[in-house]
Amino acid sequence: LIKANGERKSIFDKCELLEKELNLAKVKLGDSDADTSDLEKIENLSMELASTKAELEAANKKVQDYKTMAQSSEKTLESATTASGDFKNITLAKIKELTDELKIAKEAATSRQEALEELTKDLSTSRGEQEKVVDDLKAQINALKTEIETSKSNQIAFETQRNNATEEMKIYKAEATSAKDNYERE
C-alpha cells in the first residue's frame, strides 16, 4: 500500500511536470490560444487521471497479492515449526529410551564381567575336581563371554542410534531456522 501511494504521488508529479513543459512549449511556439489550451489541458488531465487510476488499481492488486503470499508463508512457517517441535520431542524421547537401554546394558555387562571373574577364580581353586566339572565351567565362561560381547556390540549399536538421532535433530533444527529466515526475508 505504501508502495502504491508512492507510485501514485510519482505519477501526479510527472503529470504536473509534463503540463508545465507543454505550456512552455506552447509559449515558445507562439500558440497562445487559451480556450483550446484549457480544453486540451482538461482532456489530457482526464486521460492521465484515468491512466493513473488504472495504475493505482494494479498496484492495489499487487499489494493484496503480497498480503496473501505473506499470510500463506506465515501458515507454512507455523506448520513447519510445529512439525519440527513434534519431531524434536519424539527424537528426545527416543534418545532418552536409548540412553536408558544403554545404561541397563552397561550394568548387565558389568555384572556379567564380575560373574565371569568369580567363575574364573572358582575354576582356578578347584583344579583338582573331575574333568566334567571343569568342562561345565568352561562352557559357562564361554557363554558369559559371548553374552558380554553381545552386550558390548548392543552398546555400540545403541550409541550409534543415539548419535544418528542427534544428527537428525540438528538437521531438522537447521531446516526450521532456514524456513524462519526465509519467512523473515519475505
Side-chain angles (χ1 to χ4, degrees):
L1 188 56
I2 294 171
K3 184 177 177 182
N5 284 335
E7 289 177 3
R8 184 175 149 246
K9 184 179 183 320
S10 172
I11 292 171
F12 280 127
D13 292 343
K14 286 179 184 177
C15 287
E16 288 177 7
L17 181 65
L18 289 172
E19 185 179 324
K20 288 178 184 177
E21 288 178 5
L22 179 63
N23 286 337
L24 285 174
K26 283 184 178 182
V27 169
K28 285 182 181 178
L29 292 173
D31 186 14
S32 61
D33 186 8
D35 291 338
T36 306
S37 170
D38 288 342
L39 289 176
E40 285 179 7
K41 225 188 245 188
I42 291 172
E43 186 177 313
N44 287 339
L45 287 174
S46 295
M47 289 172 39
E48 288 179 23
L49 179 61
S51 172
T52 304
K53 283 182 180 179
E55 289 176 6
L56 182 61
E57 285 179 21
N60 284 337
K61 184 177 182 332
K62 285 181 183 178
V63 168
Q64 190 60 36
D65 290 345
Y66 287 133
K67 281 183 181 179
T68 304
M69 286 190 304
Q71 288 172 348
S72 174
S73 294
E74 215 172 269
K75 289 178 183 176
T76 303
L77 177 63
E78 184 179 320
S79 174
T81 303
T82 302
S84 174
D86 292 346
F87 179 77
K88 179 182 175 184
N89 291 338
I90 291 169
T91 304
L92 288 175
K94 283 183 181 179
I95 289 171
K96 185 179 183 325
E97 180 182 326
L98 291 173
T99 303
D100 291 345
E101 289 177 12
L102 179 62
K103 182 180 176 183
I104 291 169
K106 283 182 179 180
E107 290 172 357
T110 302
S111 68
R112 288 182 182 137
Q113 183 68 31
E114 289 172 358
L116 179 64
E117 289 173 4
E118 187 177 319
L119 286 174
T120 304
K121 287 179 186 176
D122 289 346
L123 180 63
S124 65
T125 58
S126 63
R127 286 187 185 240
E129 293 183 13
Q130 295 178 347
E131 195 65 29
K132 183 178 179 183
V133 173
V134 171
D135 290 339
D136 288 343
L137 290 175
K138 284 182 180 180
Q140 287 179 356
I141 289 172
N142 289 334
L144 289 173
K145 283 182 180 180
T146 304
E147 286 181 23
I148 288 172
E149 290 174 6
T150 303
S151 295
K152 286 182 180 178
S153 65
N154 286 343
Q155 177 184 358
I156 291 169
F158 288 139
E159 287 178 8
T160 302
Q161 287 177 349
R162 184 185 69 190
N163 291 338
N164 288 342
T166 303
E167 289 300 320
E168 283 183 39
M169 184 174 65
K170 287 178 183 177
I171 290 169
Y172 284 108
K173 184 177 181 181
E175 288 175 359
T177 303
S178 175
K180 180 180 179 184
D181 291 344
N182 288 341
Y183 171 73
E184 288 175 358
R185 276 189 248 133
E186 286 182 18

